């Protein structure tokens, strides 16, 4: 008897999105340990960021209202720049996301084998790409636009215009990203295309960060260096063109502030979004299945064997098991471009950080220059420690969990859990301690701090690196997440939150212990007086306390991590 009920495959494309929503709902119901704490922490951070964006946009708009026509011009220009920035972000985000949703998603093999019309499959993947690419844009733009509207006493039409603008605005760059991805995958395999896009995006971010810092925007605050006003505004307006959707979105949002309606720009946004979707659908029909076949190609190994590392590892005075584990971790890291490519952005941030010390005008107040230099040395130590903790939670803490389903091989191999965890520690400690020591020494040389502080901060950062890497490795072993889909889920887990809270507490206590002996030394050195015996004892006690704290955090973290892994393997 023929079935009278309609087949599930004949339903509309939103039906294909049900597994995504049901999976999200199931994960929310199946609460894991620490989900409540993580939700509270990240919820508070999200509320804080949203409130900050709202407050800053409200304050800036409120200040611009005092300048009448000039203020309106700057607000109009600012809206165009705001949407232009997010347009660029959306375009790149869509490129990376569409690679995953259209070519690398795990459920594609099942969907492509099912009798699902190509049109419905496209729109389900397309809708998923739009949602995943644009949620952050909605989260950041909404409080900004709300702050602008409230500060400008905007009418109700302004708030109704927000969703009418945001909808097509996010669709246009996503459609562009999907078309470019479809063409790119037909030239390169999908995994290699993703690596190329990630590397290109990181290089672009590096260039933007370094450009924004090296042009020294703080010079605009100096009357002597303020450029000609006409040339300044001409420079600001040069990237704004009426042919971009960001300009249409900015004009459509600015019109209600003047009690007008930007129908022309709304029509341009919606018609372009619909046309872009049609073009993306046509490109999908022409290019998708050939591109998907190419995406199943395995990665070629001629550039990823890294045979020279076997030779280098043979020189190390390690046992065979320890050497093999260390070599495995290094090769996995170097083969994963999503891991090592992030170091490029880190290098750019370090370059900008060190460059800031070269432009510090500490001699503006001659009487305080010497004090400020030594104070900045401690600020530099604290900042370096916080950078170390962020690196550790990103690279060291997930090291155990990244074994994923292959952890059973380690459990059944003749390798102790102690050797396994020590290899994870070593692969993280060596580059981190080198990076931290370099950052501290170079910054102190640029500042010209007292030699005592140079030695103290250099030694302190070594012990702090030891403690933070040990803490990350130990907590990563105590709170593994072998089923995590990516590294970000591991770093944002309950264990990751515990590590960050513990690391911040450790850094604060360590800085306090070191600040006491340093203040004693600088107090007597500034007055050219000898340090009394009791004060010398207090200095030694503070320094020994800081060293003992670092060693204690390192020892107990690694010990508890080894115990946790041994119990897990037992």
């Amino acid at each position: 008897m023929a079935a009278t009920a309609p087949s599930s495959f004949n339903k509309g494309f939103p039906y294909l999105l049900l597994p995504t929503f049901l999976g999200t709902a199931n994960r929310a119901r199946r609460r894991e340990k620490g989900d409540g704490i993580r939700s509270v922490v990240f919820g508070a951070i999200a509320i804080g960021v949203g409130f900050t964006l709202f407050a800053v946009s409200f304050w800036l708009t409120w200040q611009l209202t005092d300048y009448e026509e000039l203020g309106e011009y700057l607000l109009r220009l600012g809206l165009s720049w705001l949407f232009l920035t997010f347009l660029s972000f959306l375009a790149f985000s869509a490129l990376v996301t569409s690679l995953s949703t259209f070519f690398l998603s795990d459920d594609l093999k099942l969907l492509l084998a099912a009798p699902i019309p190509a049109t419905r499959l496209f729109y389900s993947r397309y809708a998923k790409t739009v949602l995943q690419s644009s949620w952050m844009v909605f989260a950041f733009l909404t409080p900004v636009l709300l702050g602008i509207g409230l500060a400008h006493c905007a009418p109700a039409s302004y708030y109704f215009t927000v969703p009418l603008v945001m909808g097509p605005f996010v669709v246009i760059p996503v459609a562009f990203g999907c078309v470019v991805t479809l063409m790119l995958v037909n030239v390169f395999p999908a995994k290699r295309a993703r690596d190329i896009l990630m590397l290109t995006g990181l290089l672009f971010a590096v260039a933007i960060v370094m450009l924004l810092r090296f042009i020294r925007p703080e010079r605009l605050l100096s009357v002597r260096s303020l450029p000609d006003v006409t040339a300044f505004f001409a420079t600001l307006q040069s990237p704004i063109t009426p042919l971009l959707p960001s300009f249409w979105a900015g004009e459509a949002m600015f019109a209600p502030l003047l009690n007008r309606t930007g129908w022309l720009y709304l029509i341009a946004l919606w018609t372009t979004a619909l046309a872009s979707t049609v073009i993306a659908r046509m490109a999908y029909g022409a290019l998708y299945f050939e591109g998907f076949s190419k995406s199943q190609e395995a990665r070629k190994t001629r550039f990823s064997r890294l045979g020279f590392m076997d030779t280098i590892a043979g020189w190390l005075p390690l046992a065979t098991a320890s050497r093999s584990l260390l070599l495995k971790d290094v090769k996995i890291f170097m083969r994963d471009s999503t891991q090592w490519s992030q170091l490029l952005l880190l290098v750019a941030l370090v370059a900008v950080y060190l460059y800031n010390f070269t432009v510090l005008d500490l001699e503006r107040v001659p009487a305080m220059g010497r004090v400020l230099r030594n104070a900045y040395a401690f600020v530099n130590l604290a900042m370096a420690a916080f950078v170390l903790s962020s690196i550790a939670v990103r690279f060291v803490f997930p090291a155990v969990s990244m074994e994923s389903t292959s952890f059973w091989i380690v459990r059944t191999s003749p390798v102790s859990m102690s050797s396994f965890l020590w290899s994870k520690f070593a692969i993280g400690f060596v580059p981190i301690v080198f990076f931290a020591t370099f950052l501290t020494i170079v910054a102190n040389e640029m500042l010209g701090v007292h030699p005592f502080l140079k030695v103290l901060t250099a030694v302190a950062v070594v012990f702090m690196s030891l403690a933070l890497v040990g803490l990350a490795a130990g907590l990563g072993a105590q709170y593994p997440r072998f089923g995590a889909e990516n590294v970000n889920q591991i770093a944002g887990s309950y264990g990751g939150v515990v590590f960050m809270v513990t690391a911040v507490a450790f850094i604060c206590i360590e800085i306090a212990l070191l600040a006491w002996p340093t203040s004693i030394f600088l107090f007597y050195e500034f007055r050219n007086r000898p340090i009394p015996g009791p004060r010398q004892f207090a200095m030694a006690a503070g320094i020994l306390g800081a060293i003992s704290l670092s060693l204690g955090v390192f020892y107990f973290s690694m010990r508890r991590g080894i115990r946790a892994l041994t119990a897990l393997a037992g």
Side-chain angles (χ1 to χ4, degrees):
M1 180 181 294
T4 57
S7 172
S8 299
F9 298 117
N10 294 327
K11 295 183 179 180
F13 76 89
Y15 184 80
L16 297 178
L17 297 175
L18 277 181
T20 301
F21 297 116
L22 293 176
T24 303
N26 288 335
R27 280 193 295 270
R29 285 195 297 264
R30 191 174 60 250
R31 301 176 65 86
E32 299 179 358
K33 180 181 179 181
D35 281 351
I37 296 177
R38 184 168 63 251
S39 300
V40 170
V41 172
F42 287 104
I45 294 174
I47 293 173
V49 172
F51 179 78
T52 302
L53 291 173
F54 169 80
V56 171
S57 61
F58 182 91
W59 181 82
L60 287 175
T61 306
W62 185 267
Q63 296 299 316
L64 290 176
T65 56
D66 294 336
Y67 294 95
E68 298 182 356
E69 294 183 0
L70 177 61
E72 291 183 355
Y73 171 77
L74 290 176
L75 180 60
R76 186 178 184 180
L77 195 63
L79 283 171
S80 295
W81 267 100
L82 179 68
F83 281 102
L84 179 62
T85 302
F86 281 104
L87 182 70
S88 305
F89 172 80
L90 275 169
F92 177 74
S93 178
L95 285 172
V96 178
T97 305
S98 59
L99 267 174
S100 299
T101 55
F102 280 94
F103 296 99
L104 303 177
S105 184
D106 293 334
D107 60 348
L108 279 173
K109 294 180 180 179
L110 174 64
L111 292 174
L112 289 174
I116 300 174
T119 301
R120 291 171 185 163
L121 181 60
F122 164 76
Y123 284 118
S124 67
R125 298 282 104 180
Y126 186 66
K128 190 174 183 179
T129 304
V130 171
L131 291 175
Q132 292 184 359
S133 301
S134 61
W135 70 268
M136 188 175 294
V137 173
F138 278 99
F140 278 85
L141 265 180
T142 301
V144 173
L145 296 177
L146 182 62
I148 293 173
L150 291 176
H152 210 278
C153 299
S157 60
Y158 172 84
Y159 303 100
F160 286 112
T161 306
V162 172
L164 294 177
V165 169
M166 294 287 288
F169 175 73
V170 300
V171 169
I172 295 171
V174 170
F176 167 79
C178 291
V179 173
V180 173
T181 297
L182 288 167
M183 294 188 294
L184 192 62
V185 172
N186 276 268
V187 178
F188 303 100
K191 294 182 179 179
R192 184 171 298 174
R194 181 182 60 181
D195 296 344
I196 293 172
L197 288 175
M198 291 296 294
L199 185 59
T200 304
L202 282 171
L203 291 175
F204 178 75
V206 167
I208 291 296
V209 169
M210 299 187 73
L211 176 64
L212 290 177
R213 187 61 197 96
F214 291 154
I215 63 176
R216 297 178 63 183
E218 69 275 6
R219 291 181 299 174
L220 295 177
L221 300 178
S222 174
V223 176
R224 292 175 299 177
S225 60
L226 187 65
D228 179 70
V229 176
T230 305
F232 176 68
F233 285 115
T235 302
L236 280 180
Q237 199 170 5
S238 57
I240 308 300
T241 171
L243 300 179
L244 287 177
S246 56
F247 178 81
W248 308 336
E251 292 297 307
M253 289 306 308
F254 183 73
L257 296 177
L258 302 179
N259 292 315
R260 296 199 300 261
T261 304
W263 291 113
L264 177 63
Y265 301 107
L266 288 174
I267 293 173
L269 282 170
W270 279 98
T271 53
T272 304
L274 293 174
S276 301
T277 302
V278 172
I279 293 173
R281 172 64 185 91
M282 294 171 61
Y284 175 87
L287 303 173
Y288 180 69
F289 289 101
E290 182 179 354
F292 182 79
S293 299
K294 292 182 178 181
S295 71
Q296 306 307 304
E297 297 178 5
R299 183 190 296 270
K300 296 182 179 181
T301 60
R302 62 176 180 268
F303 297 117
S304 58
R305 290 174 181 170
L306 304 175
F308 69 93
M309 290 187 177
D310 297 270
T311 304
I312 297 176
W315 300 339
L316 300 177
L318 299 173
T320 303
S322 300
R323 185 185 299 115
S324 299
L325 287 171
L326 184 65
L327 190 60
K328 174 186 74 71
D329 291 335
V330 172
K331 284 189 174 182
I332 290 176
F333 179 82
M334 295 301 298
R335 288 171 180 171
D336 189 356
S337 61
T338 61
Q339 294 281 340
W340 61 260
S341 59
Q342 297 183 25
L343 298 178
L344 297 175
L345 184 58
L346 180 63
V347 170
L349 293 175
V350 170
V352 171
Y353 178 76
L354 294 176
Y355 175 76
N356 288 334
F357 290 109
T358 64
V359 297
L360 281 176
D361 191 7
L362 296 177
E363 302 302 330
R364 180 175 296 179
V365 186
M368 295 295 293
R370 184 178 179 185
V371 177
L372 289 176
R373 291 179 190 277
N374 295 322
Y376 273 126
F378 260 85
V379 173
N380 176 51
L381 179 62
M383 293 298 296
F386 285 120
V387 171
L388 291 182
S389 63
S390 63
I391 296 174
V393 76
R394 177 60 181 80
F395 293 103
V396 182
F397 177 82
V400 174
S401 300
M402 287 180 66
E403 295 292 334
S404 189
T405 55
S406 301
F407 183 68
W408 69 271
I409 300 177
V410 179
R411 292 175 58 185
T412 57
S413 63
V415 176
S416 65
M417 291 294 103
S418 176
S419 300
F420 172 73
L421 189 59
W422 277 108
S423 70
K424 301 296 184 184
F425 169 82
I427 197 66
F429 175 72
V430 173
I432 284 179
V433 72
F434 172 80
F435 164 78
T437 307
F438 170 81
L439 183 64
T440 304
I441 292 177
V442 173
N444 286 338
E445 286 294 331
M446 290 181 174
L447 286 170
V449 301
H450 194 279
F452 172 78
L453 276 182
K454 291 181 181 179
V455 176
L456 179 65
T457 53
V459 173
V461 80
V462 172
F463 282 96
M464 293 175 76
S465 301
L466 184 73
L468 289 172
V469 176
L471 181 66
L475 288 177
Q478 294 176 59
Y479 301 101
R481 289 194 63 180
F482 296 112
E485 297 178 1
N486 52 61
V487 178
N488 295 329
Q489 289 185 358
I490 303 171
S493 65
Y494 172 72
V497 175
V498 170
F499 167 76
M500 290 305 299
V501 172
T502 309
V504 170
F506 163 76
I507 293 170
C508 293
I509 297 174
E510 190 83 359
I511 295 297
L513 289 173
L514 292 172
W516 174 243
T518 303
S519 62
I520 295 175
F521 175 84
L522 293 177
F523 177 83
Y524 287 96
E525 194 273 338
F526 187 76
R527 291 164 175 78
N528 294 320
R529 292 165 53 187
I531 303 175
R535 293 292 186 178
Q536 294 181 11
F537 177 79
M539 290 176 58
I543 295 173
L544 290 176
I547 294 176
S548 301
L549 177 63
S550 298
L551 293 176
V553 170
F554 162 73
Y555 173 76
F556 287 107
S557 298
M558 292 295 294
R559 184 180 177 183
R560 294 187 65 180
I562 293 172
R563 285 182 178 179
L565 287 179
T566 303
L568 185 64

